[in-house]
Amino acid sequence: MKKLYRTTEEINGHKFYRTYNFLPESERKQLIKEVRPFIVNRPYVKNYGPVPGYNTPDNMQDNPIFKQFHKKVQNEFVRYMNKIAVIERSWCNRNFGDFTMWHEHPTHYATVYYLKHHPFFARGTMFNFDGEEQLIKSPQNCLLTFPGHLLHSVPATKFGIKFDRYCFAMDVNTFAWSGL
């Protein structure tokens, strides 16, 4: 098993938190199997608008099948930031690198878990910092957390190559943790 480790990086004045090797490989593969039946073509998501690609419902944090996964995400906030995390919405999306959709999240933080992606393409998330696009790279099995107000998108490939990319996305609000 690869060793779990964490990094914090400041990019354009914003903190980005990463947890590498977030799940043991067997748990990551099991999560893919469990989430696949929930992913369907949803061209429009209530309270959000048109969405390309394929998505699960946005309440996966309430599904008992994914309870352990979401608990691990919440535990990272305590370990990493000394904050209690409330996952307001959680969904898994599958896309093929054939679109860009800039958006932000209405919460303190957005968290992306890179469940599966091509080893050479779209390894991360594109951010738009005052008109300058920057790819923040994150490998498969990495949990990336960043301020929810940052404009970002799934990166599109420039060569027309399609690939399978599965990510869990979460809207997260946090509260101070004073410990026990």
Side-chain angles (χ1 to χ4, degrees):
M1 180 174 136
K2 294 181 179 178
K3 185 174 168 73
L4 180 143
Y5 66 98
R6 300 171 181 91
T7 63
T8 303
E9 184 177 3
E10 190 164 314
I11 302 170
N12 286 332
H14 304 284
K15 281 192 177 181
F16 287 76
Y17 303 89
R18 286 191 193 90
T19 303
Y20 295 88
N21 305 314
F22 181 63
L23 295 178
E25 190 63 10
S26 60
E27 284 184 37
R28 186 188 69 80
K29 288 180 177 180
Q30 183 63 32
L31 187 59
I32 294 169
K33 287 179 186 175
E34 291 171 345
V35 78
R36 275 191 176 136
F38 293 93
I39 298 174
V40 298
N41 186 4
R42 293 183 204 291
Y44 187 87
V45 175
K46 183 182 172 187
N47 299 326
Y48 195 71
V51 177
Y54 294 78
N55 302 280
T56 66
D58 65 357
N59 63 347
M60 298 305 276
Q61 76 278 10
D62 298 329
N63 187 316
I65 294 171
F66 306 105
K67 183 178 182 175
Q68 181 182 0
F69 167 72
H70 288 97
K71 187 67 176 163
K72 285 183 178 190
V73 171
Q74 289 174 310
N75 288 342
E76 279 301 292
F77 278 82
V78 173
R79 287 186 191 105
Y80 217 97
M81 297 183 222
N82 205 31
K83 294 184 179 185
I84 295 174
V86 176
I87 299 173
E88 305 289 353
R89 292 186 328 141
S90 173
W91 62 99
C92 188
N93 56 55
R94 177 186 183 203
N95 59 60
F96 306 98
D98 54 353
F99 65 86
T100 300
M101 189 181 92
W102 295 105
H103 64 283
E104 52 194 21
H105 296 261
T107 49
H108 297 140
Y109 294 97
T111 297
V112 179
Y113 173 60
Y114 301 92
L115 186 56
K116 177 185 174 192
H117 62 63
H118 191 281
F120 304 112
F121 299 106
R123 295 183 54 184
T125 299
M126 287 296 295
F127 286 84
N128 187 318
F129 298 110
D130 298 320
E132 295 291 323
E133 294 180 11
Q134 183 176 351
L135 176 65
I136 305 300
K137 293 182 179 181
S138 295
Q140 181 171 282
N141 199 17
C142 181
L143 189 71
L144 174 68
T145 299
F146 54 90
H149 70 275
L150 294 179
L151 194 60
H152 62 282
S153 176
V154 170
T157 61
K158 296 180 189 232
F159 309 109
I161 299 168
K162 289 191 173 188
F163 54 85
D164 252 353
R165 180 179 193 241
Y166 289 83
C167 289
F168 259 96
M170 290 159 267
D171 286 345
V172 181
N173 280 316
T174 60
F175 304 92
W177 167 254
S178 59
L180 296 175

